[in-house]
Amino acid sequence: MVHVDLSGAQKFFTAAGPDYKLAALAHETLASGTGLGADFIGWRSLPQHIKETELDRIVAAAEKIRARSTALVVIGIGGSYLGARGAIELLKPVPGKGDPRVFFVGNTLSADALWDTLDQLGDQDFDVNVISKSGTTLEPAASFRIFRELLARKYGDKADEHIFATTDAKRGALKSLANDRGWESFVVPDDVGGRFSVLSAVGLLPMAVAGIDVRLVIDSAIAELKALDLRSPENPAWQYAAARQHLYGKGYGIEILGCYEPSFRFMGEWWKQLYGESEGKDGKGIFPASVEFTADLHSMGQFIQAGPRTLMETIVRFSRSRREFPFPNDEQNADGLNYLVGKDMADINRIASDAVREAHVAGGVPNLVVEVPKRDEEGFAALVCFFEVACAISGYMSGVNPFDQPGVEAYKKNMFRMLGKPGAV
Ligand code: PA5
């Protein structure tokens, strides 16, 4: 389970501190399925459900792809994309021997980005995993048409065998196409929203193709979700949710999520969608932003240290690094760095994070730490489950429906009208 350290936020709390009674109520609302959006809490049992239904088929499909292709093109956007990318960049930032390269398309309408992917793909053997719950989202649908044509040119009447569709069980244009063409299909369950779907086939198939042990991810997630059902202020999800809501009430309206591992970058993007779409409604919400440390200390550091005092900071920490890298000795010491000899790069990184924390707290930035032991399958599962549970509790604490996203429709209406889609007004 993750460990949450609130000591860097303590001095910003009032005497009453975070409201654990409200967190308890919010948790009960979630668990009893009596709250707003309760039709979309299937993610709470998703790992168990997937283990009993599609997991074997997901692993078998991934093995097939790994055996015949050097690339997988994943087509999807938002909740149908960010989790898989977050996982793969976190756990497999460099493909291992025999791991296909995973390309993500359909998350933009940029012609140049499409060409860049096509150029990198070249004449490699590849498969396509198209992911869209609705089956109607413009960005992935447009890219899918292009990649279907490419598959048809490359593989002729075998093209359909290279397409894997992850979509609604019954409805939508993608589902109909998949049925007509006989593509192997996986399900985005009805009761799971896009941003909570990473532990379904949406995330698991691309992760398995990349060489991630998805069975371990799922077994870990089952255990994590059970542990996170704890009804106590000892529950790290309560601690995080209650602390951020308490700070929000005191005027800290922006939360930056930072990590000292660059491979965490797309987990930050996943987290932003999870919290932004879940909480930003009814005129309320903490604005989620993300930073990469130490790099962003050299760009955003000034603002964080001394800009408007409306920021709180959450740091994701991995207790141990994967590999050791002792700092090298240099007899000449011309660069004056020999004071670092005897330390590992991982120690230096950790000491830097302690120093930054001390400075930010002194500068008026409440600091929360979320720590997991290692950057591995278990750590990934722990973070996903923790952030999902805490997000639902935090959303209910603030009185919103954490599971809908009515605001994302407004731009789509305008775009379809301007593009001349039949029936759009
Ligand atoms: O969280 C969400 O619901 C959105 O981000 C969707 O995942 C995103 O818009 C993609 O939708 P779809 O999977 O229907 O193509």
Side-chain angles (χ1 to χ4, degrees), residues 256-273:
I256 50 175
L257 185 81
C259 185
Y260 286 74
E261 292 296 337
S263 60
F264 191 78
R265 179 168 159 220
F266 262 86
M267 287 300 291
E269 298 300 318
W270 169 83
W271 172 88
K272 282 195 286 197
Q273 186 201 3

Side-chain angles (χ1 to χ4, degrees), residues 77-80 131-135 137 140 194-195 273 277 405 412:
I77 195 167
S80 291
I131 310 172
S132 178
K133 185 175 179 181
S134 63
T137 309
R195 60 188 175 274
Q273 186 201 3
E277 264 189 7
Q405 55 284 330
K412 288 186 192 165

